[in-house]
Amino acid sequence: MLSLSTSPAARRLSAPLLAALSLALPGGAAIAQTGAPANSAPSTQAIEQVVIKLLKSRPELVREALDELQRRELAGHAQQESKALAASAKAIADASDATVLGNPAGDVTLVEFIDYHCGYCKKLAPSIEALIQRDSQLRVLVKHLPILGPESIAAAQLALSAGQGATAQQVHKALLSADAIDAASLQAISRQFGLKPVDVVAVNRQLGEVRVLSERLGIQGTPAIVVGDVMFRGAVGTEQLAAAIDAARRAQSAKSAKAGSKPGAEIRRVARPT
């Protein structure tokens, strides 16, 4: 076991850091007096000895400090993600580079970044379909982010070549349910729905726009889902997505109500549940 008193990490602590730690930990005031003359700063060695003694007597402080560090890092990441979502809101809601499912004029949009080769994307498909069936006002945008090889790119190109509407939706479902994503299966799907040859230049431009957007949002894998100002990375449950949709709908209603209010207008008091 590595000894705190002799560990290289402990010895590398600088005097300013040790001083800050001594003041932050319980009993820190005593550290400032240990082995130090009046009106002089405590030595690094003196502070180190007291800190090591304290950590030996209360090792749980290490875990508490790490937990607090993780909490702050997560909070900072969430804040950065929220800013990125707000800055890219227009591109996120843009349907020109996506396959549209659900209600094209819905009041809440769920955006899903997928790769047809992604097993998790396939497993998530029934949840997305269930949400569409139970919420007639849900708009779903499938943003194609083929990151798992050439066949993924070819499948995304085929999906985008179907355009919008019922045929595009059926092509999307066929690609998700296909046993394999290879040249033969893609050709079969193309023939099944009577699709025209892929306009590679046009669809690659759309794929490029999605990739740029994904980089701005820090998306490195699929599936990734955006609902309102919340992003989900990886597999997520139906009810969790439903809760996010409800929250986004409430936020939009509150925003609309606030925008519609006028100075001097009558304020209606709404009773809140206790």
Side-chain angles (χ1 to χ4, degrees), residues 53-134:
K53 182 178 179 181
L54 175 61
L55 293 179
K56 282 184 175 181
S57 64
R58 294 190 58 191
E60 70 274 9
L61 290 174
V62 176
R63 185 178 298 278
E64 291 175 7
L66 291 174
D67 288 344
E68 176 61 18
L69 176 62
Q70 184 181 41
R71 186 194 67 78
R72 294 185 183 186
E73 288 178 343
L74 289 174
H77 178 73
Q79 186 176 27
Q80 292 177 354
E81 189 171 86
S82 179
K83 290 181 179 179
L85 290 172
S88 301
K90 185 176 180 179
I92 292 171
D94 183 10
S96 65
D97 56 8
T99 299
V100 182
L101 309 177
N103 184 347
D107 62 347
V108 172
T109 298
L110 180 152
V111 180
E112 180 186 16
F113 292 80
I114 75 164
D115 183 315
Y116 288 115
H117 244 150
C118 168
Y120 291 108
C121 296
K122 292 177 180 292
K123 291 180 180 179
L124 185 61
S127 295
I128 300 297
E129 182 62 25
L131 290 169
I132 291 173
Q133 293 301 321
R134 64 199 264 186

Side-chain angles (χ1 to χ4, degrees), residues 168-246:
Q169 295 173 7
Q170 292 302 315
V171 169
H172 169 70
K173 292 178 180 179
L175 288 167
L176 281 175
S177 61
D179 293 331
I181 299 296
D182 53 25
S185 62
L186 295 181
Q187 289 174 3
I189 291 173
S190 180
R191 289 195 300 269
Q192 178 184 352
F193 295 99
L195 300 180
K196 296 179 180 179
V198 174
D199 184 342
V200 176
V201 174
V203 297
N204 280 353
R205 182 175 61 251
Q206 293 172 298
L207 293 177
E209 291 171 352
V210 174
R211 180 168 290 278
V212 169
L213 175 60
S214 70
E215 290 174 354
R216 289 176 182 169
L217 299 179
I219 296 174
Q220 299 179 341
T222 56
I225 294 178
V226 177
V227 182
D229 59 355
V230 178
M231 180 184 294
F232 300 94
R233 301 174 189 271
V236 59
T238 306
E239 295 309 316
Q240 192 174 359
L241 290 175
I245 292 168
D246 290 341

